[in-house]
Amino acid sequence: MQIQIFQDKESLHRAVAQMFIEAVKVKPNIILGLATGSSPLETYENLIKDHKENGTDYSEVVTFNLDEYIGLEGSHSQSYRYFMNTSLFNGLNIPLGQTNVPSGTGDVNETCEAYENEITNAGGIDLQLLGIGTNGHIGFNEPGTPFDTRTHVTALTQETIDGNARFFESADSVPKKAVTMGIQSIMGAKKIALIAYGSKKAAAIRDMVNGPITESMPASILQNHPDATLFLDEEAAALLKPQ
Ligand code: GLP
């Protein structure tokens, strides 16, 4: 794993956005894996700003998002489909039909299989963006998820429900289940960029980088990825062993 530590959030987001912009320029029909949560928001703002100012072209790009809450329609303001449309896709020239977010309604088991096939048929993910939960989850792969899972339905832990409650009226209105790309699906990406900032993420970052590779710390599997880069601020990096 490569680790980049930034003094402020602004330069962190600029660096991640630059990685994505360069990748889109090199391969206009790139397959991007995208994430939700607060971590990537300003990176997305940077991508939109660059698209408007410099005309970076997303017309051939295809995207796959990591996850979606079960039970929320794409029109629900807390669904990840809605988040992606309003935080990124509507600001770029990407046709919405080329953007994939797993559906949280209908036959979800069918969705899981179809989603995995679509990623494979598209040629696999070239560049995957990740955030990390305070318990080390990536996508919605909670601690204990087997490393060989592909897209599947999962129950959220109370820690994740509480962590995401800030986006809902109360913890009670956070869905208890989600559909998520699995650890194996994520590890199949050719290149991975993970964003983490703030002291709340410091213990998870320490454990994923310096701890053992274990299913109880899902992000620790990234130690085995050949091309993963962590984009951290000083607070998130504070507990790391000196390199
Ligand atoms: C959710 C998402 C994850 C994300 C995590 C962290 O659980 N499913 O993909 O990494 O939240 O969220 P935040 O970036 O808001 O800290």
Side-chain angles (χ1 to χ4, degrees):
M1 268 187 299
Q2 298 174 57
I3 300 176
Q4 295 191 26
I5 301 171
F6 296 84
Q7 277 179 344
D8 55 79
K9 259 171 55 173
E10 288 71 30
S11 48
L12 182 160
H13 286 292
R14 269 199 306 274
V16 183
Q18 206 46 47
M19 178 189 256
F20 276 71
I21 292 163
E22 290 304 323
V24 170
K25 283 184 180 161
V26 169
K27 187 176 180 188
N29 62 348
I30 192 167
I31 313 296
L32 295 179
L34 297 176
T36 51
S38 52
S39 300
L41 258 183
E42 288 155 59
T43 292
Y44 293 159
E45 286 170 15
N46 276 284
L47 294 182
I48 292 171
K49 186 167 178 275
D50 163 75
H51 168 67
K52 294 206 185 329
E53 288 174 2
N54 306 316
T56 304
D57 180 20
Y58 291 81
S59 62
E60 293 176 51
V61 171
V62 172
T63 67
F64 287 91
N65 258 79
L66 285 167
D67 46 14
E68 180 60 282
Y69 289 113
I70 290 197
L72 300 192
E73 295 285 351
S75 54
H76 188 287
S77 62
Q78 292 309 331
S79 74
Y80 284 166
R81 163 51 81 182
Y82 186 89
F83 174 98
M84 289 308 299
N85 287 358
T86 51
S87 309
L88 181 65
F89 301 146
N90 293 348
L92 304 176
N93 67 329
I94 186 166
L96 273 188
Q98 286 162 216
T99 68
N100 300 282
V101 179
S103 169
T105 57
D107 185 337
V108 281
N109 289 322
E110 212 171 275
T111 297
C112 293
E113 208 184 315
Y115 203 68
E116 204 61 48
N117 289 338
E118 281 168 42
I119 295 173
T120 307
N121 294 340
I125 290 171
D126 293 302
L127 175 56
Q128 173 72 55
L129 185 60
L130 293 177
I132 183 170
T134 51
N135 62 3
H137 74 247
I138 47 177
F140 267 133
N141 293 284
E142 297 281 29
T145 306
F147 283 150
D148 63 358
T149 44
R150 296 202 161 268
T151 303
H152 64 286
V153 173
T154 184
L156 304 183
T157 62
Q158 196 57 46
E159 183 172 345
T160 299
I161 291 170
D162 293 343
N164 290 345
R166 64 204 142 115
F167 301 114
F168 291 79
E169 277 171 20
S170 67
D172 284 347
S173 34
V174 183
K176 307 290 179 280
K177 284 185 171 181
V179 49
T180 181
M181 273 166 58
I183 305 267
Q184 202 173 320
S185 332
I186 293 170
M187 286 295 281
K190 297 177 187 78
K191 191 177 179 82
I192 293 179
L194 184 145
I195 298 175
Y197 49 77
S199 53
K200 277 191 190 160
K201 301 287 171 75
I205 292 298
R206 174 198 59 205
D207 294 346
M208 79 170 282
V209 174
N210 299 140
I213 298 173
T214 162
E215 289 173 353
S216 59
M217 171 44 63
S220 64
I221 190 68
L222 297 179
Q223 292 179 31
N224 281 345
H225 195 281
D227 191 359
T229 304
L230 311 190
F231 293 81
L232 311 175
D233 74 347
E234 290 178 345
E235 285 185 354
L239 301 178
L240 285 177
K241 269 194 213 148
Q243 293 188 59

